[in-house]
Amino acid sequence: MAKSDYYGTLGVRRDASAEEIKKAYRRLARELHPDVNPDPETQERFKEITQAYEVLSDSNKRQMYDMGADPFASGAGAGAGGFGAGFPFSDIMDAFFGAAGGGGRGPRSRARRGRNATIRVELDLSESAFGTTRELVVDTAVLCEVCTGSGAAAGTHPDTCDMCHGRGEVSQVTRSFLGQVMTSRPCPQCGGFGSIIRNPCQECSGDGRVRTRRTIKVRIPAGVEDGTHIQLAGEGEIGPGGGPPGDLFLEIVERPHEIFERRGDDLHCTVQIPMTAASLGTILTMETLDGPEELDIRPGTQSGQTIPLYSRGIQHLNESGRGDLLIHVNIETPSRLDAAQEELMRELARLRGEERPPGKFAPGQQSFFSRLRDAFNGR
Ligand SMILES: [Zn+2]
Ligand SMILES: [Zn+2]
């Protein structure tokens, strides 16, 4: 068998250092590995580079090779093709998954981001309207001060896992009709961390954090409403292993108001006005979120009319301006009249010619049937 050009195969100079050879092999192996690229030609190349690496990574074999011998061509050890029984896989794994960490593989960190937390905050309407400041008591996880998040007891360190040698994963090579297939899975002994905490911190049982109750002061802006979520970045619980904290969300729950109904940033309410006051006009003292206010009821105010008090609603969230307060008027028809009142009413009706008034439709309130008729007549 002709002597192979192992340096050329790996693309390194003859005086390349062991580290350079390892790097070159690792780079090529990533491209040519049968898991990545199963076509036969690539597999053949993979065998070649692996063979080259097997020789050049072993100082004795490299020396022999440099002096003119070829450990594979000699027929000793592995048979033709070289890649097979007796192959020192551990070295190849080492090169392929090497600890230097290129390619993003390797043990996973114990530190993970903490979870988000949500707490409900009940507000009454005026708090939503104008904003408020609340002190909230939160049950949360904070960094364990004893181990500062490492999870290891004071004065100890996590040991490197002896099953995966700190890599966090274990690899297995199996033969298939495509050739050698290498599969890796998280190390079952260390759970993929690459290290094992033999003496967990007593304070946090190795979690790196402890539960506690803390009080935080939050500013709730004007204009929030039922269901609004306010995000407080980094105020959630800290992550395991000293990982960064999650976020805290405040979910606003708005208590219903006994007088005002909120629709968007407007408020609605209904006032009852006696018929006489609606007819003659009056001044009504109204309770608003800004305190008592005088409401001018014009003479001849009709039932169902809406009187606006501009800018007496809810502050717009993150914008200037406020919604309105809309007052719906309900006119009370006098009932249970005494004799004198009834006499006055009859007199009024007579003076207005309303003793037997004709029923008529209010403008704009056509019945369904008249609309249907208009549609048929093409009006
Ligand atoms: Zn601890
Ligand atoms: Zn392990």
Side-chain angles (χ1 to χ4, degrees):
M1 192 186 246
K3 188 185 157 201
S4 311
D5 176 12
Y6 291 146
Y7 291 102
T9 302
L10 291 182
V12 293
R13 295 191 318 273
R14 290 191 71 87
D15 60 351
S17 69
E19 191 54 37
E20 283 167 339
I21 289 168
K22 191 168 177 172
K23 262 191 193 155
Y25 173 67
R26 204 185 287 165
R27 194 186 62 242
L28 290 166
R30 283 213 177 81
E31 275 172 39
L32 302 170
H33 192 273
D35 277 358
V36 179
N37 202 338
D39 81 82
E41 202 177 309
T42 311
Q43 280 191 64
E44 201 49 48
R45 282 271 293 138
F46 183 65
K47 286 179 189 172
E48 283 167 22
I49 61 155
T50 303
Q51 193 170 325
Y53 178 68
E54 156 65 357
V55 172
L56 298 184
S57 64
D58 181 316
S59 54
N60 288 332
K61 288 180 187 166
R62 183 175 178 183
Q63 206 175 5
M64 281 168 64
Y65 174 74
D66 286 346
M67 291 188 301
D70 186 338
F72 282 98
S74 72
F83 193 72
F87 210 80
F89 274 114
S90 63
D91 287 353
I92 292 162
M93 298 304 158
D94 192 36
F96 194 58
F97 292 112
R105 297 185 88 145
R108 63 195 181 98
S109 169
R110 281 180 202 279
R112 275 171 292 140
R113 186 175 181 275
R115 281 182 311 185
N116 295 337
T118 302
I119 51 175
R120 290 155 71 92
V121 180
E122 279 198 17
L123 298 182
D124 63 34
L125 192 63
S126 64
E127 289 175 308
S128 314
F130 302 121
T132 185
T133 302
R134 278 289 175 85
E135 286 205 336
L136 301 170
V137 179
V138 209
D139 280 312
T140 190
V142 297
L143 192 72
C144 172
E145 286 180 0
V146 176
C147 65
T148 59
S150 76
T156 72
H157 294 282
D159 291 342
T160 301
C161 173
D162 54 14
M163 190 175 208
C164 64
H165 307 288
R167 284 190 298 266
E169 57 186 12
V170 287
S171 307
Q172 198 178 12
V173 174
T174 48
R175 275 183 170 278
S176 76
F177 69 97
L178 290 173
Q180 306 282 344
V181 176
M182 180 152 53
T183 50
S184 347
R185 62 196 166 98
C187 172
Q189 181 165 291
C190 62
F193 296 124
S195 62
I196 291 170
I197 296 175
R198 302 221 188 268
N199 301 299
C201 168
Q202 302 264 312
E203 184 70 16
C204 64
S205 314
D207 189 37
R209 52 192 186 155
V210 286
R211 295 214 72 85
T212 188
R213 176 168 285 201
R214 67 195 173 99
T215 305
I216 56 168
K217 202 171 179 179
V218 294
R219 171 90 198 128
I220 295 169
V224 295
E225 61 187 332
D226 202 61
T228 299
H229 281 78
I230 298 173
Q231 182 177 15
L232 302 173
E235 295 283 3
E237 61 180 44
I238 200 158
D247 298 335
L248 179 64
F249 289 88
L250 307 184
E251 184 187 335
I252 302 298
V253 179
E254 195 175 85
R255 283 190 286 260
H257 192 270
E258 56 176 354
I259 298 170
F260 301 120
E261 187 199 326
R262 179 174 178 176
R263 294 182 211 159
D265 287 338
D266 291 336
L267 297 176
H268 294 255
C269 68
T270 302
V271 290
Q272 306 264 25
I273 298 172
M275 183 198 74
T276 48
S279 180
L280 301 171
T282 187
I283 302 286
L284 218 65
T285 303
M286 277 285 304
E287 203 53 54
T288 73
L289 293 180
D290 300 77
E293 227 158 284
E294 294 198 328
L295 184 65
D296 190 8
I297 305 289
R298 309 296 305 157
T301 294
Q302 303 293 321
S303 196
Q305 206 168 316
T306 304
I307 304 168
L309 278 179
Y310 295 113
S311 293
R312 288 291 176 268
I314 309 284
Q315 168 74 51
H316 300 311
L317 182 64
N318 303 327
E319 268 177 60
S320 61
R322 290 174 65 180
D324 304 322
L325 172 58
L326 298 159
I327 298 147
H328 300 266
V329 177
N330 232 351
I331 311 281
E332 276 175 331
T333 304
S335 56
R336 279 183 286 153
L337 304 172
D338 64 21
Q341 290 168 354
E342 189 179 335
E343 189 50 41
L344 267 172
M345 285 296 245
R346 287 194 188 284
E347 179 67 8
L348 180 62
R350 195 181 58 77
L351 288 172
R352 291 180 58 84
E354 292 170 350
E355 291 144 301
R356 288 184 68 91
K360 61 176 181 183
F361 290 115
Q365 292 182 338
Q366 286 177 308
S367 74
F368 170 72
F369 290 105
S370 62
R371 268 184 283 132
L372 201 63
R373 189 195 57 217
D374 290 350
F376 272 109
N377 294 341
R379 290 212 267 154

